[in-house]
Amino acid sequence: QLQLQESGSGLVKPSQTLSLTCAVSGGSISSGGYSWSWIRQPPGKGLEWIGYIYHSGSTYYNPSLKSRVTISVDRSKNQFSLKLSSVTAADTAVYYCARAPTVTNWFDPWGQGTLVTVSS
Amino acid sequence: QSVLTQPPSVSAAPGQKVTISCSGSSSNIGNNYVSWYQQLPGTAPKLLIYDNNKRPSGIPDRFSGSKSGTSATLGITGLQTGDEADYYCGTWDSSLSAGEVVFGGGTKLTVL
């Protein structure tokens, strides 16, 4: 059974870069056929898709975040990562990683999520 | 505001049926598949419905999905107190030159 687990810094200062990693177990990122996404949820609010990456390294980002987002994959460690630069308080959220079959936009499974707070 | 419009809340009694709507446009729901997610308090979202009306294995048939034009609907029958959660719809939106995945604002289900 595929499982995803987010990790990274829970507290980031304004203007700095948020960095998170999603470790994949029970399956291989390199096997293909899927995209690997980051999705976030500000406290008490709805879901916002950040972007996804294929095992090949091809990426696709939310246009509203594109200038600040980098998603990368480390096939040797079976994980993928998110970097979000120039963060502000508006980037405070629970960040989830999730998988979607290629050419679809439904996500299953999801990681448990990790809260990132932007504060000085 | 979310691109997809959901009612903020719905409620019904145990054993009853409830529907949750998700309204969009031709740039999203009208030309793309819809998925639905259940988010129990303090947990990650869980896929309930994909491709408008398909249920992943393990999801009971009390949950159903449908789509008509630019709107989609999630139906839940035989309501249980354990169904109390936030429900989100999602799809692809191509209104910008570069598309994106979009979600509804979420609907809080209360089982009275």
Side-chain angles (χ1 to χ4, degrees):
Chain A
Q1 180 181 356
L2 191 82
Q3 292 185 318
L4 293 80
Q5 178 69 59
E6 306 87 350
S7 64
S9 176
L11 180 63
V12 182
K13 289 182 168 53
S15 79
Q16 294 191 341
T17 297
L18 176 161
S19 296
L20 297 174
T21 296
C22 180
V24 178
S25 59
S28 173
I29 282 183
S30 300
S31 62
Y34 299 97
S35 64
W36 304 87
S37 274
W38 288 97
I39 297 162
R40 70 181 182 179
Q41 184 173 35
K45 296 187 178 181
L47 302 168
E48 180 181 33
W49 174 73
I50 298 170
Y52 60 64
I53 189 166
Y54 291 102
H55 75 285
S56 63
S58 298
T59 54
Y60 200 93
Y61 300 138
N62 183 324
S64 68
L65 296 170
K66 185 177 181 179
S67 63
R68 299 194 291 130
V69 172
T70 301
I71 298 176
S72 59
V73 64
D74 186 336
R75 285 176 285 277
S76 67
K77 294 183 178 179
N78 211 35
Q79 63 187 33
F80 61 107
S81 299
L82 168 70
K83 290 189 184 300
L84 181 66
S85 64
S86 304
V87 298
T88 69
D91 295 309
T92 293
V94 175
Y95 285 76
Y96 297 100
C97 55
R99 184 188 74 169
T102 304
V103 197
T104 74
N105 294 290
W106 48 267
F107 302 98
D108 182 56
W110 297 56
Q112 67 182 28
T114 187
L115 175 62
V116 178
T117 301
V118 178
S119 175
S120 56
Chain B
Q1 285 101 337
S2 302
V3 173
L4 306 179
T5 302
Q6 297 182 235
S9 63
V10 296
S11 62
Q16 297 299 304
K17 174 182 177 179
V18 71
T19 60
I20 297 173
S21 61
C22 177
S23 178
S25 67
S26 59
S27 67
N28 42 66
I29 292 178
N31 284 286
N32 294 285
Y33 288 113
V34 177
S35 54
W36 289 91
Y37 304 87
Q38 176 192 59
Q39 186 174 34
L40 297 170
T43 69
K46 173 185 175 182
L47 179 69
L48 282 181
I49 299 289
Y50 67 98
D51 289 356
N52 300 335
N53 55 18
K54 298 177 182 175
R55 280 176 290 106
S57 60
I59 300 300
D61 59 6
R62 300 189 299 109
F63 296 90
S64 64
S66 64
K67 189 183 99 168
S68 178
T70 59
S71 293
T73 301
L74 173 69
I76 310 173
T77 60
L79 276 172
Q80 303 173 1
T81 55
D83 295 332
E84 283 204 340
D86 293 324
Y87 293 83
Y88 294 91
C89 58
T91 189
W92 183 260
D93 184 278
S94 55
S95 57
L96 301 175
S97 57
E100 61 181 304
V101 175
V102 292
F103 295 98
T107 298
K108 182 176 182 60
L109 168 64
T110 300
V111 180
L112 302 169

